[in-house]
Amino acid sequence: MSTSEAGSTAPAIAADAVARLSSVPLSWRHKAVPAAANGTTAGDFIQERHTLADLQTPLLTLDGRALEANADRMAAWCAEKGVRLAPHGKTTMAPQLWAEQLERGAWGITLANFAQLRVAREFGVRRLQLANSLTDPHAIEWVASVVGPEQTILSWVDSVATVELIGRTLDAAGSSAVLDVLVELGAHGGRTGARGIDAALEVARAAAASPHVRLVGVSGYEGSLAHTADADALGAVRGYLGQLLELHRQLLADGLYGSDELIVTAGGSAYFDDVVDVLSPAISTGDGGKTVELLIRSGAYIIHDDGFYRVISPFSRHGGQPFSSAMHGWARVVSQPEPGLALLDAGKRDLPVDEGLPVPQLIGPALGGPMSPLEGAEITAVNDQHSFLSFDPATTTVSPGDVVRLGLSHPCTAFDKWTLIPVLADTDGDQTVVDLIHTFF
């Protein structure tokens, strides 16, 4: 089985499976749509041309214009740089959005665990990368049972013990399957990954000797080593990436790869420019009989945000065409118990808070109605179901029933709170609901 599936006629994702989501009946399980929609299918709801004003708070919405622009921008950048994109699907767990990414040329979809692999398999995603090690016997056996000419699943190994566990599990199951793996390089203080080139080479030798795994590349994640874009942070990221490139070259020199079609992969949504800059020398179109593709795994780009990624994204840092935030929170004032304080009806169960609290942007008397800038206000705390809005009562009037639009940070912890997310044509213009995005966490 080729890692690139040359000659395969299978689609990148099963369009019919994605299309069937329009037939899902709306009900009380979908907190994003009004009770009046109960029994209506998702497709019918969209055809009825509802607007933001027909919805209720608390609410998370997506901006269709921004989604399209972000997806196009990243696809164009990857094409310009000659690299492939396997976006991390765990950001959204939304097959409809995966389909948009794949349609724009993405290699496949990256996922984080067994449950997510099963979702992607259900929707017919042909090429999958598990950015993690297979250590659950059920997961190992399942992957072995589904891989084949029309289904690629790559996983990572960072220890000899993991290689041996895969072998023992498949032997016990009576399976002759061979799983494609990438050896993962880590770094001190980082997350997973073999600690250093020597340790990674030991893993690679074990993989090369195993009858149940085939080494097809190297992998890593630079994002756990830094959280800012200052000189020290970027130095740590680039130093690590240099080690990953050296590991790949050593594996080539030692003849430890088990395929002529190889993958070098790194790159979250914060430092993908550095990944491409440092690792591009690994790209090969057949020199020495080996084809090497550089695969980045940025997942948050299609949603982006008004917080962490807005600041750290390479396109923001380097003055290029930036991504746009495609998500907004909407919350209603439920109490204004003392001067300068209002309580909103959205909390941790509705909005992300792990990479910064929501930021008040606009306020108005009704959802979908005229709104004004909410200047000098801030969210000071978030409980399970409430947010604390602090404002200056001398300059700002806030009353029960008012609606606040919130800028959010970190899409990875926004989507998991919603089984259904309305897409507006243009949050700042045409607020017609043009799609309903289903998530599967």
Side-chain angles (χ1 to χ4, degrees):
M1 180 185 65
S2 164
T3 56
S4 62
E5 298 296 343
S8 174
T9 59
I13 190 170
D16 57 340
V18 176
R20 282 196 295 272
L21 292 173
S22 66
S23 300
V24 172
L26 303 181
S27 72
W28 51 266
R29 296 184 299 112
H30 304 110
K31 65 179 181 178
V33 294
N38 282 5
T40 302
T41 67
D44 287 342
F45 187 86
I46 296 165
Q47 290 297 317
E48 291 166 1
R49 305 292 290 174
H50 290 278
T51 68
L52 177 63
D54 297 322
L55 306 179
Q56 70 284 300
T57 59
L59 183 64
L60 178 74
T61 62
L62 301 177
D63 185 309
R65 175 191 53 79
L67 286 172
E68 183 174 359
N70 291 345
D72 288 344
R73 178 74 180 94
M74 190 59 153
W77 187 85
C78 288
E80 175 188 342
K81 299 296 183 180
V83 302
R84 303 298 301 274
L85 173 65
H88 214 321
K90 59 91 177 173
T91 298
T92 64
M93 286 306 294
Q96 292 153 285
L97 297 180
W98 298 347
E100 293 294 326
Q101 294 167 308
L102 292 165
E103 183 180 318
R104 287 167 171 79
W107 173 91
I109 298 296
T110 299
L111 296 162
N113 60 37
F114 180 29
Q116 294 172 7
L117 283 179
R118 292 175 63 194
V119 172
R121 169 73 174 176
E122 182 67 22
F123 282 89
V125 181
R126 179 162 56 91
R127 291 180 184 149
L128 299 170
Q129 176 178 207
L130 178 69
N132 221 330
S133 294
L134 285 169
T135 57
D136 185 310
H138 297 293
I140 295 169
E141 292 177 13
W142 182 86
V143 169
S145 72
V146 301
V147 292
E150 304 297 347
Q151 180 68 74
T152 294
I153 299 180
L154 310 179
S155 65
W156 298 1
V157 290
D158 70 354
S159 70
V160 172
T162 300
V163 174
E164 293 174 343
L165 175 60
I166 292 172
R168 286 198 310 272
T169 301
L170 294 181
D171 281 340
S175 172
S176 61
V178 179
L179 306 188
D180 285 342
V181 300
L182 298 89
V183 62
E184 181 191 3
L185 179 68
H188 180 72
R191 203 161 60 188
T192 54
R195 294 310 199 243
I197 291 178
D198 289 343
L201 288 171
E202 184 180 0
V203 179
R205 295 186 191 103
S210 171
H212 283 297
V213 302
R214 183 174 69 143
L215 186 61
V216 300
V218 297
S219 61
Y221 177 55
E222 74 292 340
S224 64
L225 303 177
H227 208 66
T228 62
D230 58 35
D232 288 344
L234 294 179
V237 165
R238 294 178 69 88
Y240 164 74
L241 294 170
Q243 291 292 300
L244 189 62
L245 180 60
E246 177 58 29
L247 171 61
H248 165 65
R249 288 172 169 165
Q250 189 65 56
L251 294 175
L252 282 173
D254 292 352
L256 292 174
Y257 283 127
S259 173
D260 289 335
E261 297 180 346
L262 307 175
I263 286 174
V264 174
T265 179
S269 295
Y271 308 106
F272 58 82
D273 59 332
D274 294 286
V275 168
V276 171
D277 185 42
V278 175
L279 295 182
S280 283
I283 298 173
S284 167
T285 57
D287 298 340
K290 303 288 187 185
T291 297
V292 183
E293 289 191 315
L294 175 55
L295 206 65
I296 61 173
R297 306 186 305 274
S298 309
Y301 76 92
I302 192 169
I303 306 302
H304 201 51
D305 67 13
D306 281 312
F308 175 70
Y309 287 114
R310 180 180 61 82
V311 173
I312 204 170
S313 167
F315 295 157
S316 298
R317 287 188 276 121
H318 299 317
Q321 179 183 345
F323 293 126
S324 299
S325 179
M327 66 175 182
H328 296 90
W330 307 84
R332 198 176 302 271
V333 178
V334 291
S335 177
Q336 204 274 290
E338 59 188 65
L341 174 66
L343 281 300
L344 310 182
D345 65 353
K348 295 177 183 177
R349 303 286 176 85
D350 313 296
L351 306 174
V353 298
D354 60 312
E355 290 287 0
L357 297 179
V359 177
Q361 295 178 332
L362 303 172
I363 189 169
L367 186 64
M371 305 192 89
S372 303
L374 187 51
E375 298 175 351
E378 66 174 326
I379 300 296
T380 58
V382 179
N383 293 163
D384 286 352
Q385 310 289 178
H386 294 90
S387 293
F388 290 70
L389 175 70
S390 174
F391 62 95
D392 183 353
T395 59
T396 304
T397 299
V398 177
S399 302
D402 285 350
V403 174
V404 176
R405 192 183 90 178
L406 299 161
L408 307 175
S409 181
H410 203 200
C412 299
T413 51
F415 273 56
D416 63 322
K417 297 165 176 57
W418 298 85
T419 56
L420 196 71
I421 308 175
V423 180
L424 307 180
D426 183 345
T427 303
D428 292 320
D430 179 4
Q431 295 180 331
T432 301
V433 178
V434 295
D435 207 352
L436 294 172
I437 298 298
H438 300 253
T439 69
F440 298 87
F441 284 91

